[in-house]
Amino acid sequence: MHRHEVIIIGGGVTGCAIAYNLAARGLRDVAVLERYYLASGATGRCGAGFRHQWGTKTNCLLAKHAIAKLETLAEELDYPGGIDLKQKGYLILAYTPRMVEQFKKNLALQQSLGIDARWLTPEEAKEIVPVLNTEGLLGATYCPKDGHANPFKVTDAYARAAKRLGVKIHTYTEVLDIKVEGSLKTVLTNRGTFQAPVVVNAAGGHAATIGRMVGVDLPIKPERHQILVTEPVEPLLDPMVISFYHHLYCQQTPHGSFVMGLGDPNEPKEYNERSSWQFLVQMAGKIVRLLPPLKNLRVVRQWAGVYDMSPDAQPILCEAPEVPGFFVAAGFSGHGFMIAPMTGQLMAELILGQPTSLPVDMFHLSRFSRGELLIEPSVV
Amino acid sequence: MRIEQHPILEFRRGKKVKFIFDGKEYEGYEGETIAAALHAAGIRVMRESPVLHRPRGLFCAIGNCSSCLMTVNGEPNVRICTEKLREGMVVNSQKGKGVLYEKRS
Ligand SMILES: Cc1cc2nc3c(=O)[nH]c(=O)nc-3n(C[C@H](O)[C@H](O)[C@H](O)COP(=O)(O)OP(=O)(O)OC[C@H]3O[C@@H](n4cnc5c(N)ncnc54)[C@H](O)[C@@H]3O)c2cc1C
Ligand code: FES
């Protein structure tokens, strides 16, 4: 039997960031339970991009604060090798008048919050991405401070910093069931029993399963997203290129390889981490039309991961009303990597009962029963 | 020495063809691999290692190891140990990771 103050279920970037933030605030008797290895879930499978360019004030602020933290994360966590941070912007392409209208609204909002994002004509977009095929393009938005980081390194940096502060990390430890007796939660795993008054559900695509163990109904569904990586070549693509119209994103990592993915609007909501040849064919076809010189690039590997989708594509960050001491940090709907530094901080503040550094009420689970969805217009 | 038997490729020696390697003209036989033609011409260094820039030669010879990547007719990262030679090919050795696209200004 292991006794702790806090048990965190899930060793992705979210779980590790929460663990570090608790320990950094003095709550060091924390255990992280991870079914496989750290970052084995969505975190290690993700595109790892971060952007300021969102369509709601909440997300703009969350992203802005989280990215500011990513910029100095290696120093904050004393991670000498760095996190492969690249800030060469996101270029978000507009193909329909409705997109133009929405993107310009988003820009006005972003600019009002001090985010340096701007509108580009197709010609200006081509100056930033010379390989871009601008056929049919009406314009694009661009924020030079957007970028990406290495998700394995970010997770590892949090995990190591947390461990140095006394956090225990148990990998290959799968949570099988949770019993709630009074304020005490007993967590049964394949590697023994853990007890704590506070349990945090950071189980990503498995969050609903963990919720059911304590009788908390979480409207979170896994949805497969596929992605691939190519051989490396000399730098030629500065920003991440996103097209909501084509449901795709593509970026070149500092190592020189291209990482790109495609959302399939017809993807069934089920737990599926297998990759398909159909994705390879579709992805290649679309990207070669958009960025033609990529036709001579070889694909090295493809894989899939799941988005933990919530009904409004926004995370659920709260203490479950029915089960005091049971906290939820899940439902990230495809953008949980970039906000993880803030998720970690806000969740630690919630758990410690401290005032939160940004408002979090709108992320409460109860918004769904109240019908107050936080619809974000800009998701892939 | 000329490579004539290959573990995974079959090549019949075709007619003599000319090709360009790093700006100089060479001869080889149609149907053999580019690496076979270069090897016969005494060329042993195929590329340099990406980090320490050390010379790399033919290693696996079956297209698996990336030891022989060159730019062929403008396409970077071609495994010349499995790519067959054709008349007039322009083959260039590669520094760094290969250039996919050169911005023309
Ligand atoms: C293809 C793809 C591309 C993406 N691109 C981006 C992007 O560009 N930018 C961005 O910000 N986000 C992106 N995301 C989303 C991002 O990956 C996730 O939102 C983020 O990683 C969530 O982290 P997490 O720690 O909450 O979840 P996860 O990383 O999924 O971690 C949950 C962990 O819980 C563990 N677990 C589950 N059940 C149990 C159990 N019973 N017992 C113990 N452990 C358990 C899992 O093994 C897993 O490691 C992408 C996702 C995918 C799939
Ligand atoms: S020598 Fe190994 S790929 Fe050519």
Side-chain angles (χ1 to χ4, degrees):
Chain A
M1 176 77 75
H2 307 264
R3 274 275 209 154
H4 293 284
E5 290 281 327
V6 179
I7 292 170
I8 298 171
I9 303 173
V13 70
T14 302
C16 293
I18 296 171
Y20 165 74
N21 274 278
L22 282 171
R25 282 165 183 71
L27 207 172
R28 297 175 173 204
D29 184 11
V30 175
V32 176
L33 309 182
E34 164 56 47
R35 190 162 72 121
Y36 298 130
Y37 51 90
L38 296 183
S40 59
T43 299
R45 299 160 186 268
C46 79
F50 56 77
R51 58 168 154 134
H52 296 80
Q53 299 184 71
W54 290 96
T56 57
K57 183 177 173 188
T58 310
N59 278 343
C60 287
L61 286 179
L62 206 54
K64 187 177 166 189
H65 284 85
I67 294 165
K69 285 185 172 294
L70 282 173
E71 287 170 359
T72 56
L73 197 73
E75 294 87 72
E76 183 192 341
L77 301 181
D78 191 15
Y79 197 67
I83 56 166
D84 300 344
L85 193 81
K86 173 180 172 186
Q87 276 180 298
K88 293 278 178 81
Y90 260 49
L91 188 71
I92 306 185
L93 307 175
Y95 283 94
T96 65
R98 255 192 70 194
M99 280 183 180
V100 172
E101 192 189 335
Q102 180 66 52
F103 288 7
K104 288 194 168 167
K105 252 190 237 163
N106 295 354
L107 279 180
L109 170 72
Q110 290 154 12
Q111 288 161 356
S112 77
L113 298 170
I115 292 169
D116 173 23
R118 46 187 183 260
W119 179 257
L120 300 182
T121 63
E123 295 70 41
E124 290 167 330
K126 201 165 169 74
E127 264 167 44
I128 293 174
V129 179
V131 294
L132 182 68
N133 171 8
T134 53
E135 195 186 321
L137 186 68
L138 299 179
T141 64
Y142 175 68
C143 170
K145 285 290 194 74
D146 295 348
H148 64 89
N150 182 320
F152 295 99
K153 292 189 177 177
V154 171
T155 308
D156 187 48
Y158 275 120
R160 282 172 192 259
K163 273 196 229 172
R164 284 196 300 268
L165 295 172
V167 170
K168 300 276 183 294
I169 296 184
H170 300 265
T171 52
Y172 295 94
T173 304
E174 180 172 9
V175 173
L176 304 172
D177 204 0
I178 305 172
K179 304 257 176 285
V180 183
E181 286 151 298
S183 67
L184 196 66
K185 283 126 202 117
T186 305
V187 178
L188 310 173
T189 78
N190 60 336
R191 295 207 173 186
T193 304
F194 295 75
Q195 276 187 331
V198 173
V199 167
V200 184
N201 179 359
H206 288 289
T209 312
I210 300 294
R212 272 195 296 278
M213 294 176 184
V214 295
V216 172
D217 187 21
L218 296 174
I220 296 174
K221 296 206 168 75
E223 179 185 283
R224 174 175 72 166
H225 282 255
Q226 301 198 60
I227 180 165
L228 63 78
V229 63
T230 72
E231 64 186 357
V233 285
E234 292 297 318
L236 82 117
L237 180 66
D238 280 343
M240 168 88 98
V241 175
I242 292 201
S243 168
F244 298 123
Y245 184 79
H246 300 95
H247 300 285
L248 68 74
Y249 58 88
C250 176
Q251 63 182 318
Q252 187 175 20
T253 68
H255 166 249
S257 53
F258 283 72
V259 172
M260 59 187 86
L262 201 62
D264 177 356
N266 301 316
E267 186 67 39
K269 295 271 195 292
E270 59 187 27
Y271 205 95
N272 180 359
E273 285 180 334
R274 278 169 306 172
S275 48
S276 73
W277 61 265
Q278 288 91 340
F279 161 72
L280 195 59
V281 173
Q282 279 175 15
M283 185 79 239
K286 286 190 177 182
I287 206 66
V288 167
R289 238 167 290 137
L290 199 61
L291 306 170
L294 268 59
K295 71 178 192 298
N296 281 338
L297 264 184
R298 288 161 195 80
V299 174
V300 172
R301 195 163 58 245
Q302 67 178 109
W303 66 94
V306 300
Y307 282 14
D308 42 343
M309 293 302 298
S310 78
D312 56 4
Q314 302 287 1
I316 299 171
L317 308 176
C318 66
E319 181 171 12
E322 312 94 303
V323 185
F326 184 76
F327 289 80
V328 182
F332 292 102
S333 309
H335 53 273
F337 172 70
M338 70 181 82
I339 61 171
M342 281 315 288
T343 305
Q345 177 169 336
L346 295 169
M347 289 305 297
E349 290 163 349
L350 275 180
I351 292 163
L352 292 164
Q354 297 172 353
T356 54
S357 36
L358 280 177
V360 289
D361 294 348
M362 62 285 253
F363 294 120
H364 202 280
L365 174 60
S366 62
R367 71 181 184 271
F368 302 110
S369 53
R370 289 200 310 269
E372 290 169 5
L373 302 196
L374 255 172
I375 300 289
E376 166 58 57
S378 294
V379 281
V380 198
Chain B
M1 192 192 88
R2 185 150 230 121
I3 303 166
E4 298 189 345
Q5 281 186 339
H6 192 275
I8 61 164
L9 294 176
E10 220 183 283
F11 42 85
R12 252 171 287 125
R13 187 190 280 197
K15 65 172 202 285
K16 217 175 215 181
V17 293
K18 291 188 179 3
F19 69 102
I20 310 284
F21 171 63
D22 280 353
K24 271 175 65 187
E25 191 174 89
Y26 289 82
E27 280 182 346
Y29 294 98
E30 195 170 74
E32 68 182 350
T33 63
I34 299 171
L38 287 177
H39 191 85
I43 309 252
R44 297 291 183 269
V45 177
M46 306 272 125
R47 77 179 292 206
E48 56 175 43
S49 63
V51 178
L52 297 178
H53 306 286
R54 290 167 167 164
R56 286 289 175 266
L58 202 56
F59 183 58
C60 74
I62 55 169
N64 266 352
C65 74
S66 307
S67 188
C68 65
L69 302 186
M70 290 194 186
T71 301
V72 177
N73 293 338
E75 180 183 339
N77 299 334
V78 174
R79 285 146 180 81
I80 60 154
C81 65
T82 52
E83 188 73 22
K84 291 188 181 176
L85 189 66
R86 287 190 308 273
E87 175 75 46
M89 267 182 163
V90 179
V91 180
N92 280 306
S93 53
Q94 242 174 238
K95 297 258 182 302
K97 287 173 177 166
V99 175
L100 192 62
Y101 173 83
E102 242 159 328
K103 194 179 171 185
R104 277 164 281 256
S105 46

